Amino acid sequence: MPVEIRIPTPLRRFTGEKAHIDVSADVLEGALTALFSQHPGLKAQLVDEKGGIRSFVNIYVNGDDIRFLEGASTPLAEGDKIAIVPAIAGGSGALSREEIARYSRHLLLPEVAVAGQQKLKNGRVLLVGAGGLGSPAALYLAAAGVGTIGLVDFDVVDESNLQRQILHDTTTIGQPKLVSARRRLEALNPHVKVELFEERLTSENVLSIFDGFDVVLDGTDNFATRYLTNDACFFLKKPNVYGSIFRFEGQASVFWPEKGPCYRCLYPSPPPPGLVPSCAEGGVLGVLPGVVGALQATEALKILLGTGRPLTGRLLLYDALELSFSELKLRRDPACPLCGENRTITGLVDYAEFCGLGRGDEPPAGAEITPGELDTWVKRGDPVELIDVREPHEAAICAIDGARLIPLASLPERVHEIDGGRTIVVHCKSGARSARAVALLKQAGLTRTYNLRGGILAWAREVDPSLPVY
Amino acid sequence: MSGQDSEARLTSETNVVFETTVASKTTVVFETSVLTAIEEAAATAYPFEGCGALLGNSAGSVRRVCASLHLPNREEGRPRVRFEVSPADYLSVEDEADRRGLSLLGFWHTHPDHPALPSATDRQFAWEGLLTVIVSVPERRPREITAWEVTGPDSPFSPVLLREDGRNGILKSLAGRPRATQED
């Protein structure tokens, strides 16, 4: 089919200043091939290394963008008019007067300066979790002028969060954490755009949520999300700024695909449920996430600025009681199931069902009873031995009448103290450690053992509201 | 893996957007009415970026601009610091140039509250063969005007000398220029 191709002004130097070229073709791709054979210089201007049309060029057939037709396969009819249109855009991308005043201490640093501040402004950082680590990180990133801050969280603010989660305050107890966080961040810096994802991160949504961001900051409190974050960052080749905290100790690193190891090089798969206590069970010094979250924010800023030496290939360990920082060298593990030489993980994995931590604190299905059932047994006078596997300082806060305290760590050597002739019910704070204890007792031959679902928190909620919760 | 993992350093990309030492041989001569039209459109667009097309003739290294077509800024996200010309507007500009027997010489846009220096984004979208003209607009009053061109796909911007038709000397500032009465 004879068709006409319209050449824009800046490309006419390749066509001997001709504005219109006639070719014959049945589909668009054929017309372009014919055009390039007549005027070879045009090809490099219009086609990228992969053979696709360059992003700065739009092609129209009879006034319609081919991206909304059939692309290169768009069929042509006699007399069709093809137009090549260069993208015309730009702009100062600039800092306003207010921004210059606000960021003046950054602008004075040669390593940041105006160009760096603009990189921060164009930067997009996603925080997974708006809790202990996410709070200081989000506040410092917003203060620093990172243009877009994304937050993923689906929790609500609880009174027990406020000891460390400084994005939230007493007035926002009971509100979604994201609502509370947005209010705080926008009050701190109105130049920052806050994007909220109020959902649990899953293998279904993780890629689409991460996709638009330059850096992901891992502030999760559970292994399911931590592994999902690591794996998604690997598949999307995005730097993952990792931090974790427990009691008085913190860790941080940058897992940057292709530049260094990933989290699975360190820990190939998640621990079984209950083995590693969460902060909700083990406690955490409130200021600890402040230190670690600020370190994570620092790394995210360095990545956006493209300056300094990132914490890639290094695991930083912080001990608040000793006030010591130490560093472990991390290497990519050739046997890593995700980024090693013989990869066994080629897609995303949802660990939620058997990781059992964080909000998904549910112990594995099986030998469980509810607080209501236990209450009935006790009131009925059934022979029940109730074992509390928490730590003594937890039992000092609250305890169920008649429970015997055997902390999980000492359970193996004290199994003989337990009367195997009775029905055994084990509880902890919320059910994870006791699930581990149940498994241990069953191994020891005590098969009539039940886990108290939801732990003492559920007991307090459903049976004895007079108990203080923590 | 390699011991370089932990030694990796981030290197700041050297985003040289423009150089001022290598001046282009091109000179742009604006008719007074064009400067007046740009000035008005630039002030009207404030605090957003304004933009338009420049039509005229080329003779050797001299570009003579005799018309400015003011265009809507189609940038939806951040029009204070970005501008975009829609493909439809681009095509209508070329149609209009054909109708008037003129050439499309380039596009102008404003930098509200920011100097008339090209940004990395300006460089990214620059086309060889089209001038990039930038007008700074501090507090609604158009001030500096600069023009830039690229000579290759990766070359930085080179500054282009500007003159106003009928006046001696180099044109740098719109402020303080005698007000023209002629309209395009």
Side-chain angles (χ1 to χ4, degrees), chain A residues 35 60 131 138 147 164 214 217 232 240 295 299 303 308 319 337 374 408 422 427 449:
Chain A
L35 175 68
Y60 283 68
R164 64 195 177 286
D214 304 319
L217 194 144
N240 169 17
L295 288 169
E299 289 305 297
I303 291 169
D319 181 336
L374 176 61
L408 180 60
R422 302 169 71 165
H427 85 83
T449 302

Side-chain angles (χ1 to χ4, degrees), chain A residues 6 8-10 12-13 56 60 86-94 119 121 259 306-309 329 331-332, chain B residues 1 3 5-6 10-12 49 78 81-83 85 87 90-91 94-95 104 111 114 119 122 124-125 127-128:
Chain A
R6 179 170 170 170
T9 306
R12 289 181 195 160
R13 62 203 155 93
F56 295 149
Y60 283 68
I88 303 293
S92 67
K119 286 181 189 171
K121 185 173 175 173
K259 290 184 194 280
T307 193
R309 180 175 165 231
K329 198 161 191 157
R331 298 194 183 282
R332 276 175 79 170
Chain B
M1 272 292 292
D5 285 351
S6 61
L10 297 166
T11 48
S12 184
E49 294 202 0
R78 298 162 61 203
V81 292
R82 289 265 192 278
F83 84 97
V85 171
Y90 179 90
L91 289 174
E94 287 210 330
D95 287 339
L104 172 62
H111 282 181
H114 195 260
S119 68
D122 290 333
Q124 207 178 4
F125 283 92
W127 286 87
E128 200 180 343

Side-chain angles (χ1 to χ4, degrees), chain A residues 215-278:
Chain A
V215 180
V216 175
L217 194 144
D218 174 359
T220 58
D221 61 354
N222 68 82
F223 287 100
T225 313
R226 172 150 295 152
Y227 278 84
L228 198 57
T229 299
N230 178 71
D231 296 0
C233 283
F234 172 76
F235 291 122
L236 295 169
K237 309 218 183 309
K238 289 183 193 297
N240 169 17
V241 182
Y242 154 82
S244 75
I245 47 168
F246 185 64
R247 294 175 186 259
F248 296 93
E249 289 167 39
Q251 300 185 348
S253 189
V254 172
F255 299 115
W256 199 339
E258 295 179 345
K259 290 184 194 280
C262 79
Y263 186 68
R264 284 187 190 268
C265 294
L266 193 57
Y267 304 111
S269 58
L275 183 64
V276 181
S278 68

Side-chain angles (χ1 to χ4, degrees), chain A residues 137-256:
Chain A
L139 287 166
Y140 275 110
L141 292 173
V146 170
T148 306
I149 295 176
L151 291 166
V152 192
D153 206 307
F154 62 95
D155 215 350
V156 295
V157 179
D158 182 82
E159 199 160 13
S160 67
N161 298 151
L162 301 182
Q163 162 255 23
R164 64 195 177 286
Q165 302 185 11
I166 56 176
L167 266 178
H168 318 296
D169 62 60
T170 313
T171 65
T172 61
I173 290 172
Q175 286 184 17
K177 283 188 179 175
L178 294 190
V179 171
S180 176
R182 166 179 272 172
R183 196 171 79 177
R184 182 81 181 87
L185 295 176
E186 288 181 347
L188 174 62
N189 189 346
H191 302 284
V192 169
K193 189 172 163 212
V194 181
E195 289 184 7
L196 305 180
F197 303 91
E198 191 165 5
E199 48 199 310
R200 184 197 284 269
L201 212 56
T202 68
S203 59
E204 299 290 312
N205 61 15
V206 65
L207 293 178
S208 63
I209 292 175
F210 281 19
D211 196 32
F213 290 88
D214 304 319
V215 180
V216 175
L217 194 144
D218 174 359
T220 58
D221 61 354
N222 68 82
F223 287 100
T225 313
R226 172 150 295 152
Y227 278 84
L228 198 57
T229 299
N230 178 71
D231 296 0
C233 283
F234 172 76
F235 291 122
L236 295 169
K237 309 218 183 309
K238 289 183 193 297
N240 169 17
V241 182
Y242 154 82
S244 75
I245 47 168
F246 185 64
R247 294 175 186 259
F248 296 93
E249 289 167 39
Q251 300 185 348
S253 189
V254 172
F255 299 115
W256 199 339

Side-chain angles (χ1 to χ4, degrees), chain B residues 7-110:
Chain B
E7 295 306 314
R9 280 194 76 86
L10 297 166
T11 48
S12 184
E13 319 117 47
T14 49
N15 282 330
V16 181
V17 173
F18 61 89
E19 31 191 337
T20 50
T21 48
V22 187
S24 146
K25 285 179 191 150
T26 309
T27 302
V28 180
V29 180
F30 284 96
E31 289 189 7
T32 298
S33 61
V34 174
L35 291 176
T36 306
I38 290 176
E39 214 178 340
E40 288 181 353
T44 307
Y46 187 90
F48 303 113
E49 294 202 0
C51 55
L54 301 169
L55 306 187
N57 301 298
S58 291
S61 61
V62 178
R63 313 271 174 274
R64 187 180 174 84
V65 184
C66 41
S68 164
L69 304 178
H70 185 199
L71 298 171
N73 179 356
R74 305 286 189 181
E75 160 72 25
E76 287 176 357
R78 298 162 61 203
R80 288 169 187 265
V81 292
R82 289 265 192 278
F83 84 97
E84 188 182 332
V85 171
S86 74
D89 289 340
Y90 179 90
L91 289 174
S92 71
V93 162
E94 287 210 330
D95 287 339
E96 183 64 18
D98 287 349
R99 236 189 322 275
R100 298 195 194 186
L102 298 173
S103 299
L104 172 62
L105 298 177
F107 290 85
W108 63 267
H109 71 277
T110 62

